[in-house]
């Protein structure tokens, strides 16, 4: 149990704060033991609450896992949308979007493994959440490319799929194999490859 959990044992928290606390504790336990070996007893202990309190928020371990997975997917999609909205200059927008994937991967290894390497993809709700990480990112990028480059939706979506795939695969590879390369250099290298395709072939249309 963490020191914070010890201090909060027996303290009544607002429901949203308690839920966040439980998800944080669950992340640590799932990251350490994996889904199948993780136990609700251990998660409750890690959070500094009783099992009945844990079950008040999450009826079972799968419900807890899916809620945690959904929060990570929301985080990733939010990062991508924030990157797209951070500038109207596509030369800057591409590295910002690539950087969103690198930051997500680098921020919490347990989070990206749940999203991109989940061993529960046989569970329909888990697969749906995992698919949303890609589909929502693709959708956001498609809308931006359609608006700025004047492409039809089919072509824009294919480019978006390529940018998402390139970004998340490169980010995961960098984290696992290339820590000697800085985050900035890795993002710049990946973004430069993407920009030469998107920026060179599909420039910003005149308004």
């Amino acid at each position: 149990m963490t020191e914070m959990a010890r201090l909060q044992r027996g303290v009544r928290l607002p429901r949203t704060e308690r839920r966040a606390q439980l998800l944080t504790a669950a992340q640590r336990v799932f990251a350490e033991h994996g889904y199948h070996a993780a136990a609700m007893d251990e998660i409750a202990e890690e959070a500094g609450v009783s099992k009945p309190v844990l079950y008040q928020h999450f009826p079972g371990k799968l419900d807890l896992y899916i809620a945690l997975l959904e929060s990570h997917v929301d985080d990733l999609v939010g990062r991508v949308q924030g990157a797209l909205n951070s500038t109207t200059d596509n030369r800057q927008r591409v590295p910002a979007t690539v950087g969103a994937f690198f930051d997500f991967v680098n921020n919490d290894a347990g989070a990206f493994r749940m999203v991109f390497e989940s061993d529960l993809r046989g569970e329909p709700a888990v697969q749906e959440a995992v698919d949303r990480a890609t589909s929502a990112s693709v959708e956001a990028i498609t809308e931006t490319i359609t608006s700025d480059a004047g492409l039809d939706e089919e072509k824009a979506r294919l480019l978006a799929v390529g940018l998402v795939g390139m970004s998340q695969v490169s980010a995961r590879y960098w984290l696992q194999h290339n820590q000697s390369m800085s985050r900035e250099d890795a993002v710049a290298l990946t973004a430069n490859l993407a920009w030469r395709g998107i920026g060179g072939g599909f420039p910003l249309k005149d308004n």
Side-chain angles (χ1 to χ4, degrees):
M1 187 193 309
T2 64
E3 183 63 26
M4 181 62 69
R6 291 191 183 93
L7 293 174
Q8 291 183 340
R9 180 178 284 279
V11 176
R12 292 184 64 85
L13 296 176
R15 184 173 183 82
T16 54
E17 290 185 25
R18 179 66 77 191
R19 180 182 174 88
Q21 177 201 12
L22 296 174
L23 289 174
T24 298
Q27 176 64 66
R28 288 193 291 264
V29 175
F30 284 136
E32 182 176 355
H33 301 294
Y35 175 81
H36 296 291
M40 292 292 272
D41 284 342
E42 187 172 2
I43 294 170
E45 175 70 16
E46 180 69 22
V49 302
S50 64
K51 277 185 68 177
V53 169
L54 179 57
Y55 280 110
Q56 284 173 10
H57 292 265
F58 303 102
K61 185 169 69 169
L62 182 58
D63 301 280
L64 178 53
Y65 183 89
I66 291 171
L68 185 59
L69 175 60
E70 289 281 6
S71 73
H72 292 327
V73 171
D74 288 341
D75 178 32
L76 173 60
V77 174
R79 288 174 185 268
V80 172
Q81 291 172 334
L84 292 169
N85 294 330
S86 66
T87 178
T88 57
D89 182 351
N90 281 345
R91 185 177 291 276
Q92 299 302 319
R93 188 178 270 154
V94 170
T97 303
V98 172
F101 284 89
F102 275 77
D103 289 342
F104 175 73
V105 166
N106 196 37
N107 184 58
D108 186 338
F112 96 78
R113 289 194 177 97
M114 284 188 72
V115 174
F116 295 123
E117 300 173 5
S118 174
D119 58 355
L120 289 180
R121 293 198 178 200
E123 286 286 343
V126 172
Q127 185 62 56
E128 182 178 348
V130 169
D131 289 345
R132 185 169 69 85
T134 297
S135 63
S137 298
V138 166
E139 189 62 34
I141 297 170
T142 298
E143 291 178 4
T144 300
I145 294 176
T146 300
S147 174
D148 287 356
L151 291 182
D152 64 64
E153 185 176 342
E154 183 179 9
K155 292 177 181 177
R157 190 174 301 280
L158 183 59
L159 287 174
V161 168
L163 181 57
V164 169
M166 180 189 303
S167 298
Q168 67 104 335
V169 171
S170 296
R172 290 163 60 194
Y173 182 86
W174 167 77
L175 182 68
Q176 295 170 358
H177 302 287
N178 280 304
Q179 282 290 339
S180 60
M181 183 186 298
S182 71
R183 178 263 187 204
E184 290 72 20
D185 287 346
V187 168
L189 193 63
T190 305
N192 187 51
L193 176 60
W195 175 249
R196 286 179 182 276
I198 295 175
F202 308 99
L204 188 68
K205 70 177 182 179
D206 294 329
N207 292 319

